[in-house]
RNA sequence: GUGGGUGUAGCUCAGUGGUAGAGCACUGGAUUGUGGCUCCGGUUGUCGCGGGUUCAAUUCCCGUCACUCACCCCA
């Protein structure tokens, strides 16, 4: 056991990968149904990109990034997907090609945090971004799409939380109002909150420390300082969600840890499955200033990311798969060459085949075929070999018949295809 | 960065100051060549690592490392 995976970075072995694939396919299907197309961006970006977009005084930038120097470049493993996507959007002047852009992505992200349940140093996010649509209808549809996806995956106990952080002017006003409110009560705050007061007072609002919560309870609400346009936008979001009959709760203290959010911000949580304390499945919001800040024209944008590991923790086990595939059991080395060519013929017809070349007892091979969930098996011994036939057994119906070499591939295909179609219906 | 928990077979875990067990898994047989149930047998361990106490430590003590959960923050 000399080598181990790097702390917080996990292998997905074959017993888990079907669940991953099911989730990824469901996400991609849902995203395409809503008009998104895939974008793939590099895992490594210039460090400045993240500092500029996520914000210099965020936890992510201050202490969670995997940054390194390569020759003259300061580089960072992406801690999230929006910055890279927006960089690509600006770099390729996509805004000049189309007025509204809808992208989805899926891949690993990296944050050097202390690992725990539902939080890893290399973790997988899937996300969507819309550029060029100011909302709020787009915002509501995005939230509704996520709720629909989670329901399809069988995840229950969902909660949608929404808030509006206002535009940048509003946000500045609110920040001042909060500083004014908290400063006289500094002593009543936790040490942590006291540090934040100067840098980012909004974060005190979602502190879980009871001391902070007590003080924050009386703080002015973000919703009270929204300007008319912000308020109209937020009301529009709520109306659209109502129209879609998507349940939500307004959480005026929902503040997300990335600085780029403006106006709409939201989280989707669940209490289901084996989720621990990290029960936010997806989070996102508007970032109407980022395109311009990264050098493009003023372009409204909204996006979200969801954590695949967390969703997998919340997903119920799927029903056992139907029997499929064929196991070939040659008995004795003389039967092996014929077994191999039969295996290839059957595979050519689209049926999964495993040929057992280990030379073990028939009982052992049978056990293995069964535990693999095979639908059929072929027994080829000396007697069959000399007569040009095999025994074809249906492991589900416990029936067996003799089939000639010339017909075996087609017979297996018929057996396994029928079973697959019946199972899928 | 802070705090708690756990390290014993491939997996899940019992256990004892006198150098280890169960279930599952794997495998052989009961059935000269037929799975899922049953029965009988077999294989697998530096008891995380280092030090201390002791005649003797997997067990007690100290340290260390790893894993894990929670705080923080986020997906």
């Amino acid at each position: 056991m000399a080598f181990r995976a790097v702390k917080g970075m996990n292998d997905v072995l074959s017993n888990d990968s079907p669940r991953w694939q099911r989730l990824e396919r469901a996400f991609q299907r849902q995203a395409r149904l809503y008009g998104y197309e895939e974008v793939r961006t590099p895992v490594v970006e210039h460090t400045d990109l993240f500092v500029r977009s996520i914000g210099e005084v965020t936890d992510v930038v201050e202490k969670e990034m995997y940054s390194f120097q390569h020759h003259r470049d300061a580089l960072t493993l992406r801690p999230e997907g929006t910055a890279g996507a927006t960089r690509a959007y600006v770099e390729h002047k996509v805004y000049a090609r189309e007025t509204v852009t809808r992208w989805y992505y899926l891949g690993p992200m990296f944050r050097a945090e202390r690992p725990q349940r539902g939080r890893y140093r290399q973790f997988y996010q899937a996300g969507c971004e819309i550029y060029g649509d100011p909302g709020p209808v787009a915002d509501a549809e995005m939230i509704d799409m996520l709720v629909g996806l989670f329901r399809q995956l069988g995840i229950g106990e969902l909660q949608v939380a929404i808030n509006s952080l206002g535009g940048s002017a509003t946000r500045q006003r609110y920040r001042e109002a909060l500083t004014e409110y908290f400063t006289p009560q500094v002593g009543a705050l936790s040490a942590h909150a006291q540090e934040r007061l100067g840098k980012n007072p909004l974060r005190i609002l979602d502190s879980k420390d009871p001391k902070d919560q007590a003080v924050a309870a009386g703080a002015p609400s973000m919703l009270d300082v929204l300007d008319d346009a912000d308020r109209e936008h937020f009301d529009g979001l709520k109306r659209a969600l109502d129209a879609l009959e998507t349940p939500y709760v307004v959480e005026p203290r929902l503040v997300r840890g990335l600085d780029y959010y403006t106006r709409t911000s939201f989280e989707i949580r669940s209490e289901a499955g084996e989720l621990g304390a990290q029960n936010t499945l997806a989070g996102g919001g508007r970032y109407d200033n980022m395109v311009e800040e990264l050098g493009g024209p003023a372009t409204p944008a909204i996006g979200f990311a969801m954590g695949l590991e967390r969703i997998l923790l919340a997903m119920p086990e799927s029903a056992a798969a139907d029997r499929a595939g064929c196991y070939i059991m040659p008995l004795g080395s003389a039967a092996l060459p014929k077994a191999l060519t039969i295996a290839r013929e059957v595979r050519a017809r689209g049926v999964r085949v495993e040929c057992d070349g280990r030379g073990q007892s028939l009982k052992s091979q049978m056990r293995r075929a069964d535990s693999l969930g095979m639908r059929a098996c072929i027994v080829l011994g000396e007697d069959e070999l000399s007569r040009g036939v095999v025994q074809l057994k249906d492991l589900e119906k416990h029936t067996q018949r003799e089939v000639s070499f010339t017909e075996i591939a087609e017979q297996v295909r018929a057996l396994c295809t029928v079973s697959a179609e019946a199972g899928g219906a």
Side-chain angles (χ1 to χ4, degrees):
Chain A
M1 296 286 274
F3 289 103
R4 314 180 119 270
V6 173
K7 187 186 187 74
M9 305 198 178
N10 305 113
D11 302 308
V12 177
L13 300 184
S14 57
N15 49 327
D16 284 330
S17 59
R19 279 167 65 76
W20 280 82
Q21 290 177 1
R22 196 156 72 83
L23 169 56
E24 289 170 3
R25 285 198 196 109
F27 165 72
Q28 290 174 347
R29 178 173 180 277
Q30 181 80 336
R32 288 196 194 104
L33 285 174
Y34 277 77
Y36 296 87
E37 290 178 276
E38 189 186 26
V39 64
R40 302 193 189 199
T41 65
V43 165
V44 176
E45 297 275 0
H46 290 283
T47 301
D48 282 347
L49 173 67
F50 300 118
V51 175
R52 190 80 73 78
S53 58
I54 297 171
E56 206 159 359
V57 292
T58 56
D59 280 18
V60 169
V61 167
E62 279 178 337
K63 52 189 191 193
E64 294 172 2
M65 295 207 300
Y66 281 98
S67 297
F68 59 98
Q69 194 74 27
H70 181 258
H71 298 312
R72 295 190 165 278
D73 294 320
L75 304 176
T76 294
L77 266 42
R78 64 182 183 193
E80 56 100 56
T82 299
T86 305
R87 191 223 83 233
Y89 178 81
V90 172
E91 179 172 339
H92 300 287
K93 297 182 167 50
V94 178
Y95 47 80
R97 255 188 270 167
E98 54 196 21
T99 51
V100 175
T101 297
R102 289 168 172 254
W103 280 350
Y104 77 83
Y105 62 85
L106 188 152
M109 307 295 164
F110 302 83
R111 293 184 199 173
E113 302 175 273
R114 191 80 159 254
Q116 67 188 71
R117 179 177 291 276
R119 179 162 70 208
Y120 311 101
R121 292 184 171 181
Q122 173 172 333
F123 61 104
Y124 287 78
Q125 282 191 340
C128 289
E129 315 288 353
I130 304 177
Y131 299 96
D133 186 327
V137 170
D139 308 22
E141 272 210 296
M142 183 174 264
I143 292 168
D144 185 56
M145 174 180 94
L146 274 169
V147 171
L149 174 64
F150 293 150
R151 284 188 181 148
Q152 280 171 39
L153 293 169
I155 300 172
E157 300 171 72
L158 290 171
Q159 185 189 42
V160 177
I162 64 171
N163 189 24
S164 177
L165 302 175
S168 49
T170 302
R171 207 164 165 183
Q172 186 54 35
R173 274 209 314 284
Y174 186 53
R175 202 179 154 127
E176 285 160 15
L178 280 182
T179 309
E180 207 171 299
Y181 171 80
F182 281 121
T183 304
Q185 315 184 58
V186 176
L189 294 172
S190 68
H192 223 85
Q194 291 184 22
E195 277 177 44
R196 285 179 183 155
L197 183 51
K199 296 192 290 186
N200 206 340
L202 273 73
R203 295 287 194 72
I204 302 175
L205 293 179
D206 61 358
S207 168
K208 286 174 190 165
D209 190 309
K211 282 159 67 182
D212 298 335
Q213 286 186 340
V215 180
S221 168
M222 168 65 90
L223 299 176
D224 294 333
V225 297
L226 294 181
D227 64 28
D228 289 347
D230 291 335
R231 184 174 309 284
E232 197 179 310
H233 191 276
F234 194 47
D235 288 343
L237 169 63
K238 289 188 283 188
R239 276 198 305 274
L241 286 173
D242 290 338
L244 288 163
E245 295 179 333
T246 296
Y248 61 87
V249 292
V250 175
E251 285 188 7
R253 310 225 310 256
L254 176 68
V255 176
R256 318 209 64 259
L258 276 46
D259 274 358
Y260 53 61
Y261 288 119
T262 56
R263 290 195 166 166
T264 304
S265 79
F266 62 92
E267 279 186 8
I268 301 180
R269 311 182 192 113
S270 172
E271 300 296 329
E274 297 171 35
L275 278 170
Q278 311 302 320
N279 65 348
T280 299
L281 299 179
R286 295 215 139 260
Y287 47 99
D288 289 338
N289 302 322
M290 194 193 296
V291 173
E292 190 170 15
E293 274 168 21
L294 295 184
T299 305
I302 183 169
F304 72 84
M306 55 190 222
L308 301 193
E309 288 88 348
R310 289 185 189 177
I311 293 165
L312 288 166
L313 286 170
M315 267 167 61
E317 290 296 326
S318 42
D322 292 317
R323 284 183 176 274
C326 178
Y327 203 81
I328 301 189
M329 308 175 182
L331 299 176
S333 54
L336 199 52
K338 187 62 193 171
L340 290 171
T341 59
I342 291 174
R344 195 166 59 190
E345 277 181 62
V346 176
R347 291 186 186 117
R349 284 168 169 75
V351 176
R352 172 177 177 149
V353 176
E354 225 176 284
C355 181
D356 197 324
R358 300 175 301 166
Q360 284 181 292
S361 73
L362 183 61
K363 178 196 282 284
S364 165
Q365 297 189 50
M366 277 287 181
R367 256 201 278 256
R368 181 162 164 77
D370 183 56
S371 71
L372 285 171
M374 292 290 185
R375 175 62 200 264
C377 72
I378 293 173
V379 177
L380 177 57
E382 284 178 30
D383 176 49
E384 286 84 2
L385 190 62
S386 64
R387 291 165 42 223
V389 297
V390 299
Q391 304 298 329
L392 173 60
K393 182 166 185 175
D394 182 334
L395 290 169
E396 186 175 294
K397 294 188 174 148
H398 317 279
T399 56
Q400 181 171 328
R401 63 181 196 275
E402 201 166 275
V403 180
S404 71
F405 284 172
T406 52
E407 287 175 63
I408 183 60
E410 190 51 33
Q411 290 293 316
V412 172
R413 189 203 60 75
L415 180 60
C416 293
T417 307
V418 165
S419 114
E421 280 168 1

